[in-house]
Amino acid sequence: MDETQIKKNQDFLRDLYLAGFEKATAFMALIVTAGYAGAFTVWDHVESNLTYCERLLVAGFFTASLMLFVGWQIRGQWVLGQQQLAISKLVAAGVADFPALIDKFRADQAKLRGGLQRQLPIVFGATVTLGGIGSLLLLVACVRHLMIGHG
């Protein structure tokens, strides 16, 4: 395989990776947002029937989960902004500076990708776990109140 074919394969794999990552991130955001919408709808209908401790626990878990999710989304937008800034520097670079700048850009992107790939499962896992615990607590409280006749 010659160098041109290797380069084409690398470009294809990069584009495939980026498309998959973008779709996975968008899907995660959609699912988590739908989960929050459902949980807060249930919360709105039953919150007045919960004890102070139940409200505090459920609200605490939901808030922690939501803060992680929003923080991750904000970080993602910051990363995109930094990438756009770096690309604009590449576009504006002179011919003599371009090779060094593109090498730096590639190295920075590889480091960034590695960090994001390590962080995504942790952030997603913590977001879902905290939200799931809050939802489970809310469900248990609802069932308990229905069983004792407060429903």
Side-chain angles (χ1 to χ4, degrees):
M1 190 177 292
D2 68 353
E3 189 173 324
T4 303
Q5 188 61 36
I6 291 172
K7 177 70 174 127
K8 285 181 182 178
N9 288 335
Q10 288 175 328
D11 289 344
F12 169 75
L13 290 172
R14 183 199 66 236
D15 293 344
L16 185 66
Y17 166 79
L18 290 174
F21 187 78
E22 289 171 5
K23 286 182 181 182
T25 303
F27 182 71
M28 180 189 91
L30 175 68
I31 295 300
V32 172
T33 301
Y36 287 128
F40 283 115
T41 298
V42 172
W43 169 267
D44 185 53
H45 290 317
V46 301
E47 184 264 334
S48 61
N49 293 323
L50 302 178
T51 67
Y52 176 76
C53 184
E54 290 168 339
R55 282 193 308 263
L56 191 63
L57 282 171
V58 171
F61 280 108
F62 282 169
T63 300
S65 176
L66 190 57
M67 286 177 61
L68 272 172
F69 177 69
V70 170
W72 181 257
Q73 296 302 315
I74 290 170
R75 185 175 191 289
Q77 292 304 309
W78 182 81
V79 166
L80 288 174
Q82 294 300 307
Q83 287 176 327
Q84 294 303 313
L85 179 62
I87 290 169
S88 72
K89 288 178 183 178
L90 285 170
V91 170
V95 174
D97 296 332
F98 188 79
L101 287 174
I102 195 73
D103 288 342
K104 181 180 180 334
F105 179 77
R106 284 183 176 147
D108 290 347
Q109 292 307 300
K111 182 179 175 184
L112 177 65
R113 263 193 318 276
L116 292 175
Q117 286 173 334
R118 284 188 303 277
Q119 295 166 4
L120 180 63
I122 295 167
V123 171
F124 183 65
T127 298
V128 170
T129 300
L130 291 168
I133 291 170
S135 296
L136 185 61
L137 289 171
L138 185 59
L139 178 66
V140 168
C142 289
V143 169
R144 186 175 66 78
H145 286 283
L146 287 172
M147 289 176 67
I148 61 173
H150 288 226

